[in-house]
Each structure stands twice: as C-alpha cells, then as structure tokens.
Amino acid sequence: MKVTSQIFLSAFVLIQLSCFTPKITAQKNSKIKVYTTAENTNLKLSLSNDFISKNNTTQQKTSTVSIIVNTGKTDQTFLGIGGAITDASAEVFAKLSPKKQQEFLTAYYDKNKGIGYTLARTNIHSCDFSSDSYTYVAEGDKELKTFNINHDRKYRIPLIKKAIKTAGGKLTLFVSPWSPPAFMKDNNDILHGGVLLPEFAPAWALYYTKFIKEYEKEGIPIWGLTVQNEPMAKQSWESCIYTPEAERDFLKNYLGPTLEKEGLGAKNVIIWDHNRGDMLIKRANLVFSDPEVSKYAWGIGFHWYETWNGGPPQFESVAKVHEAFPNKNLLFTEGCIEKFDATKYQFWGNAERYGINIINDFNNGTVGWTDWNILLDQKGGPNHVGNFCFAPIHADITKDELIYTPMYYYIGHFSKFIRPNAKRVLETISDKSLLSTSFKNSDGQLITVVMNQSEKEIVYSLENQTEKTTITIPAHAIQTIVY
C-alpha cells in the first residue's frame, strides 16, 4: 500500500503505524517474539506472536518443516546491512520537506523506530546515479593540485552526516570509484569502459587517499574501499576495465603501498566488486594466493547481476570463495531491482528476490549486505544515462511523499534484528519450501529469519538445544524470530 503524507501525520506516526505497531497482539512476558511481513495483509514487520502454536490439544498445530539451530556451531562474523548513499539519493533527499527528511532518516537508520541500517557505500566522484559526470580535479591535473570535494558538500556530505547521526553516531562506510578521470584512461572518456593508463597509476592511487582524507576532515569516517566498481563491464556510464592481473598489480604496486604511505594502511580494501559468477577463478585465487598483494586485501565484494544472462543466482560461487579462503571476507556490495516501473512499487516478487539473495548469501559466508540507492525519485532516478532502477523507498517529489516498497520491509527483517558482531549459527532445514538463516547477537540473543515463497501457509518447528516452538508463516511472507 502506498504510504502518503495524507495518511501519516509525522515520521514517528508513520514508522509506528506502518512498520512496527503490532497487528497481532503478543503474549506478555513471552521469551520468544515473532515479527511478520506478509503479502495481502497489514503485517509489515509486525510483532505477531499469535502465529506461535499454543501448547494445548485444541490449538497445537503439527509442523511440516523443521528448522534445527545448532548454537554450538558458528561461522562468519556479521558486519552490517545497509545501502548506498549516492548523488541521486542525496539530491532527491534535498528536495523533500524537513518533516519528510526526518521521516526518511528514521525509517532507515533508527534501530528502534526504523530498520537500523549500519552499513553504507558511496561513490568516489560521479557514477550513473549522479545528475551529471564530474571529478574532483581539473582535466589534465596529474599532480592533483586542484583536488577538492566541493561538489559533494551541497547534497551528499550533508545526507551522510545526518545518516551517521541518526544511526547513533556510527556507520560503517566504504567507498567505490566508477572510473578514473578521462585524461587518465586510454579512451580519454570517463564513460564507456577503457583502461587506466600505466603512467597515471600513481596519481590514481593517490586520488583515493585524498578523497578519504577530505571526507574524514568533514567528520565522515571511511571504513574501507573497493578498487573498482564492476571492473569487467564496459558501460554507457562511468566505467573502467581491469583484467584480474591488472587489478592485482594496481593493488600490489600502487594502491596498497600508497594507502600505507599516506597513513591509511588500516583501511579495508575490497577487490572485484562485480557479479558473483566465477569470482573465485577470476579474482580471488589470483589475489589471495599471492602474499605480496593479499596483505592489502580485506576481502572480496560482489553484486547479483549475473542473472542478466538468464541464469540463476550463482550462490555457489560465494560458498567456493568462503571455503577456499576462510580468513578473507565476503561482502555483498550492490544489488537493486532493475528497469524501473512505477506500477510495480508494491510488486511482492521484488521483495522476495531480496529475501532469497540475502538468506543464501549469508548462508554461504557473506559478512555484510549492501543495497544500491537508499532513495530515488518517482522516475527511478536521477540518472544521467537513463539507467533507472528501483529503491526500497522512493520519493514523489511533486507531492512530498515517501513510497515504501515491500523490499524495505524484507531488508528490515534482517537489518533491524541482526546486529554488528553477531555470529552466524549453523542450522538444518528439513524442507526446501522454506528458506532460513540464523545469527547469535553479541548479547546472546538468537535471531532466525524464515521466508515462505509458496502460495500456502506453512507450519514449522524451530528447535535448538533447549526448546522447540511451533510457528505458522503465512503465504508469501517473511518472519524474524527473536529468542
């Protein structure tokens, strides 16, 4: 259902009514809490303990699926969940009224009233989701004497600062370049692929460090960076091609040493930043097996667009990297629903795509998950090459309205409850009719997320070493169980 300012009087009222006010009354003093979002219902991250089967002969239901959580076996440490704060998101945000701006910030970054984002990504100068192409230096300035981030001070930096404040003063932020400036590339074009010219490798490596330092002067800590967004894609927008060997050599000979020389050696460097695909063969083996370059690499980032060729998501690629290099980290760095269509704001399949990907990525060793734009307008932009997409929240800037899609709630079933430093807990599930993943927060609280893609409600049992609970999940629904 489209959320409008006519329905909700304030940010607080919207979040309470639309997201988190119980739609089904919970039992008092219950040790277990069930939160549900379901298609064709009013349930949106709603506390719904009436889905728990009562322990008596008249109401006890028989489960058809069992989920067994083994709290004694854990895997990766959770980093966070969030989205990208792009130029497009910041420009749309700036056009909202102060009231709607606060509603938006609360919805994403407040862990009590919103869905508690803890992770963010932003672009180093322009990307496709910018109103135009730009860099931070004058054309031809190899020595970077003209470097400045004044462009970002108008929209993007203010939004990032507000997001950090709303998130409680901390947001794990990593940064990514889409292309070097045109004069540094063999095609003399910031768009349409091309490669970094060898003579500009030192300057381009220094460019990253200048960006990080300037942002940190603004009070925005940078946790890490990716070497290049989608290094195998020649796009109509900002793009640059790196072969596996070229990325390895740039990190080994220029970017890694330059970060260390500039006092930024502790920043977390992420390679690849492209589709799951064959990332073990094409990137991970080459970089992580070489001690001289592996020492600079925190881990590997990936996107979900390998499905563009008609195939299924290649979750097994994530598992292979995790198995081969258990001491390196896997981070989902970008994904969105492509090809914007305003008639599909509430299309449930979009949300289920998120649920399928998040659960499978976590179950295969991923430490964090980053959505693409946190906010776009009613046209799926702005985007300077017409590459319009969906976001979990859209703004109709002509009406000063925020539009909450089902994707927002599905992401929230993970981000609101699984907190940084949680450990993934291994589990077994008896039937593929449900998807599930489990984590243990640092305070000992267990979180299990269960997703039902089927047309029918399913009764399942959730078990660990000390208790067994029978729960019903509606058709086309997702549940978070806190216990």
Side-chain angles (χ1 to χ4, degrees):
M1 180 177 67
K2 186 175 180 180
V3 181
T4 67
S5 57
Q6 284 74 23
I7 296 175
F8 300 106
L9 300 178
S10 69
F12 176 80
V13 174
L14 175 128
I15 296 300
Q16 294 298 312
L17 293 181
S18 179
C19 305
F20 309 115
T21 299
K23 303 298 190 298
I24 298 178
T25 305
Q27 297 175 355
K28 292 182 178 180
N29 302 319
S30 176
K31 293 182 179 180
I32 186 170
K33 294 180 180 179
V34 177
Y35 296 84
T36 305
T37 297
E39 188 178 25
N40 300 321
T41 72
N42 291 324
L43 298 174
K44 293 177 179 178
L45 271 168
S46 303
L47 184 58
S48 46
N49 274 20
D50 280 4
F51 284 127
I52 301 173
S53 185
K54 307 300 187 298
N55 292 319
N56 59 56
T57 56
T58 59
Q59 291 186 314
Q60 181 70 33
K61 295 184 177 181
T62 302
S63 61
T64 59
V65 180
S66 62
I67 301 171
I68 301 174
V69 178
N70 188 343
T71 56
K73 293 186 177 180
T74 60
D75 197 349
Q76 76 270 25
T77 301
F78 180 75
L79 177 66
I81 292 175
I85 302 176
T86 58
D87 288 315
S89 296
E91 290 166 24
V92 174
F93 176 83
K95 295 176 181 178
L96 292 169
S97 66
K99 179 180 176 180
K100 285 295 176 182
Q101 289 182 348
Q102 187 56 56
E103 175 188 317
F104 171 82
L105 291 165
T106 300
Y108 269 127
Y109 297 103
D110 190 303
K111 67 179 181 179
N112 296 314
K113 298 177 183 178
I115 61 173
Y117 269 11
T118 54
L119 184 62
R121 181 193 194 202
T122 200
N123 43 294
I124 297 177
H125 63 231
S126 63
C127 64
D128 49 333
F129 279 91
S130 304
S131 289
D132 52 17
S133 295
Y134 66 92
T135 71
Y136 301 124
V137 295
E139 187 66 16
D141 179 13
K142 181 178 180 178
E143 296 181 357
L144 310 183
K145 291 181 178 180
T146 58
F147 189 96
N148 73 78
I149 59 167
N150 288 339
H151 177 281
D152 299 2
R153 291 191 172 97
K154 185 174 183 180
Y155 297 120
R156 187 146 48 105
I157 287 174
L159 175 54
I160 294 173
K161 287 182 177 180
K162 290 175 181 177
I164 292 171
K165 181 179 179 180
T166 309
K170 183 181 179 182
L171 198 59
T172 300
L173 175 65
F174 66 98
V175 301
S176 302
W178 267 244
S179 173
F183 71 88
M184 295 187 182
K185 298 168 65 181
D186 69 339
N187 64 345
N188 197 35
D189 186 355
I190 196 172
L191 316 177
H192 308 110
V195 301
L196 176 68
L197 291 167
E199 61 264 36
F200 290 106
W204 181 227
L206 187 63
Y207 198 102
Y208 296 70
T209 68
K210 285 183 172 291
F211 176 84
I212 291 170
K213 288 182 177 182
E214 288 300 310
Y215 261 61
E216 293 194 334
K217 285 179 185 177
E218 293 288 329
I220 299 173
I222 305 300
W223 169 87
L225 63 154
T226 71
V227 178
Q228 167 66 40
N229 177 73
E230 298 185 349
M232 293 298 289
K234 178 182 179 180
Q235 305 283 22
S236 60
W237 54 86
E238 288 82 347
S239 46
C240 184
I241 304 298
Y242 286 81
T243 65
E245 293 77 14
E247 183 180 27
R248 176 200 61 191
D249 293 346
F250 178 66
L251 176 57
K252 180 179 180 178
N253 299 324
Y254 300 102
L255 183 56
T258 301
L259 287 166
E260 287 190 339
K261 181 181 178 182
E262 294 296 318
L264 300 173
K267 301 304 180 186
N268 298 282
V269 179
I270 302 161
I271 65 167
W272 187 226
D273 198 11
H274 206 158
N275 300 331
R276 295 185 188 96
D278 298 322
M279 61 182 175
L280 176 63
I281 299 170
K282 292 181 177 178
R283 300 286 156 154
N285 275 335
L286 191 67
V287 173
F288 298 154
S289 296
D290 181 346
E292 290 303 307
V293 65
S294 182
K295 65 182 181 181
Y296 296 123
W298 171 87
I300 188 166
F302 60 94
H303 303 179
W304 73 13
Y305 308 114
E306 72 270 14
T307 57
W308 278 8
N309 61 11
Q314 296 182 33
F315 301 121
E316 68 279 1
S317 180
V318 181
K320 287 177 181 177
V321 174
H322 186 51
E323 181 180 356
F325 301 99
N327 295 323
K328 292 297 184 180
N329 298 281
L330 286 140
L331 178 64
F332 185 87
T333 49
E334 183 187 317
C336 72
I337 303 297
E338 314 90 336
K339 297 179 181 179
F340 177 75
D341 179 352
T343 66
K344 292 187 175 181
Y345 278 134
Q346 304 307 320
F347 177 59
W348 211 259
N350 288 347
E352 292 188 333
R353 181 178 174 186
Y354 273 80
I356 292 166
N357 278 266
I358 295 173
I359 290 173
N360 279 284
D361 283 338
F362 282 141
N363 285 346
N364 285 302
T366 300
V367 302
W369 215 89
T370 323
D371 186 38
W372 190 205
N373 302 278
I374 56 171
L375 178 68
L376 293 173
D377 64 19
Q378 70 276 13
K379 297 179 181 178
N383 183 293
H384 69 85
V385 291
N387 181 33
F388 302 122
C389 299
F390 277 100
I393 301 177
H394 283 261
D396 187 334
I397 57 177
T398 65
K399 301 177 181 178
D400 194 35
E401 293 178 354
L402 291 176
I403 303 162
Y404 293 77
T405 75
M407 296 178 288
Y408 166 80
Y409 300 103
Y410 266 58
I411 297 171
H413 273 273
F414 303 89
S415 62
K416 183 173 176 64
F417 303 100
I418 308 167
R419 306 307 294 169
N421 298 313
K423 285 280 189 179
R424 186 170 71 86
V425 179
L426 301 191
E427 62 173 42
T428 57
I429 188 166
S430 66
D431 193 288
K432 292 183 179 180
S433 59
L434 295 179
L435 294 174
S436 178
T437 192
S438 294
F439 284 82
K440 186 176 184 178
N441 283 325
S442 55
D443 62 0
Q445 186 182 63
L446 287 168
I447 307 295
T448 295
V449 183
V450 181
M451 180 176 160
N452 178 13
Q453 304 170 68
S454 75
E455 300 290 339
K456 298 179 180 179
E457 70 174 29
I458 295 175
V459 181
Y460 63 96
S461 63
L462 178 63
E463 307 174 39
N464 59 25
Q465 286 88 333
T466 60
E467 58 186 325
K468 176 180 178 179
T469 306
T470 302
I471 303 169
T472 300
I473 183 169
H476 292 290
I478 189 168
Q479 289 180 329
T480 301
I481 299 91
V482 181
Y483 54 113

